[in-house]
């Protein structure tokens, strides 16, 4: 990340657009998010998507599993959304919901093009945690299905399956699929830990944080943090 300190949001946004890189904006938001006025926050939210529109034209370069090592400017995309989410935690403004929904297919296409399962995992958290109006269920399901069904064995075995059970709203069928995969991909000790976590989620009462949706037609998040 750059060591340059930006005095204003406008400077950070302009630098990010010029570089086609999220680092300047992320650096500014990390230092200043609590001091932003409402209008600045809205400008920052819009800016995230302006930068994404520019950056998606840049070919991804780097390790797709550990995308924070990327040299192509995409690695702080979800971090910028995290900063806004943290600030917006108790705010009923649905602006971010709307923009995630409007831009979801572009983000999803980019993630699939370069098989960025780690970034997809983090983006799923943005989709879920930022949803104030519960209108992003379909997008969240598509993202979750992609990560569970299409991520490679190396990603799953390297802690991915544990993260799936830790982080995601899941149907019972998805949890079963994760558990079945774990039998073949995990070490004995990791499988034992995952088995415990799997059982805890299976036994959780309805609407508990760890509750598994009984079918694929669930319409409400149960794991909003």
């Amino acid at each position: 990340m750059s060591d340059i300190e930006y005095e204003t949001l406008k400077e950070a946004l302009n630098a990010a657009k010029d570089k086609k890189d999220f680092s300047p904006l992320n650096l500014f938001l990390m230092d200043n998010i609590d001091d932003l006025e409402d209008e600045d926050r809205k400008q920052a939210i819009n800016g995230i998507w302006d930068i994404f529109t520019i950056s998606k034209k840049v070919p991804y370069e780097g390790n797709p599993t550990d995308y924070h090592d990327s040299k192509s400017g995409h690695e702080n995309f979800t971090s910028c959304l995290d900063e806004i989410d943290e600030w917006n935690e108790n705010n009923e403004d649905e602006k971010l919901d709307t923009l995630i929904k409007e831009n979801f297919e572009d983000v999803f296409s980019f993630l699939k093009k370069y098989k960025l399962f780690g970034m997809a995992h983090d983006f799923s958290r943005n989709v879920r945690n930022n949803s104030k109006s519960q209108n992003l269920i379909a997008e969240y399901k598509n993202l979750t299905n992609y990560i569970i069904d299409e991520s490679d064995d190396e990603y799953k075995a390297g802690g991915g399956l544990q993260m799936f059970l830790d982080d995601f709203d899941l149907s019972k069928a998805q949890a079963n699929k994760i558990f079945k995969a774990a039998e073949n991909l995990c070490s004995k000790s990791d499988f034992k830990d995952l088995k415990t976590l799997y059982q805890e989620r299976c036994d959780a009462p309805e609407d508990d944080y760890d509750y598994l949706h009984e079918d694929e037609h669930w319409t409400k998040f149960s794991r909003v943090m």
Side-chain angles (χ1 to χ4, degrees), residues 147-163:
I147 298 168
I148 292 174
D149 294 342
E150 299 187 36
S151 55
D152 56 38
D153 286 353
E154 182 180 354
Y155 182 71
K156 289 177 178 175
L161 293 170
Q162 178 90 26
M163 290 191 294

Side-chain angles (χ1 to χ4, degrees), residues 35-45 87 91 93:
D35 300 324
L36 292 183
E37 301 290 341
D38 283 358
E39 287 306 311
D40 288 334
R41 180 179 57 80
K42 291 176 182 177
Q43 186 179 355
I45 292 170
W87 191 94
N91 193 302
D93 182 4

Side-chain angles (χ1 to χ4, degrees), residues 121 124 140 144 147 163-164 166-170 201 223:
H121 191 140
S124 76
Y140 184 81
T144 305
I147 298 168
M163 290 191 294
F164 297 166
D166 273 337
D167 293 346
F168 286 111
D169 256 277
L170 298 171
R201 292 203 66 179
R223 292 177 66 80

Side-chain angles (χ1 to χ4, degrees), residues 75-107:
E75 64 273 15
N76 289 298
F77 166 58
T78 56
S79 298
C80 287
L81 290 173
D82 284 343
E83 293 297 330
I84 295 293
D85 171 41
E86 195 170 316
W87 191 94
N88 198 39
E89 192 171 337
N90 298 313
N91 193 302
E92 294 304 318
D93 182 4
E94 296 174 5
K95 176 70 170 178
L96 192 53
D97 269 25
T98 301
L99 288 175
I100 287 177
K101 199 172 186 72
E102 289 176 355
N103 290 278
F104 179 82
E105 286 304 323
D106 279 348
V107 178

Side-chain angles (χ1 to χ4, degrees), residues 12-51:
L13 284 170
N14 287 340
K17 291 173 185 177
D18 288 344
K19 294 174 65 177
K20 302 179 178 64
D21 185 322
F22 283 94
S23 297
L25 179 59
N26 188 46
L27 185 65
F28 179 84
L29 292 177
M30 286 172 63
D31 291 340
N32 299 282
I33 188 65
D34 291 332
D35 300 324
L36 292 183
E37 301 290 341
D38 283 358
E39 287 306 311
D40 288 334
R41 180 179 57 80
K42 291 176 182 177
Q43 186 179 355
I45 292 170
N46 287 324
I48 290 170
W49 298 107
D50 291 341
I51 298 163

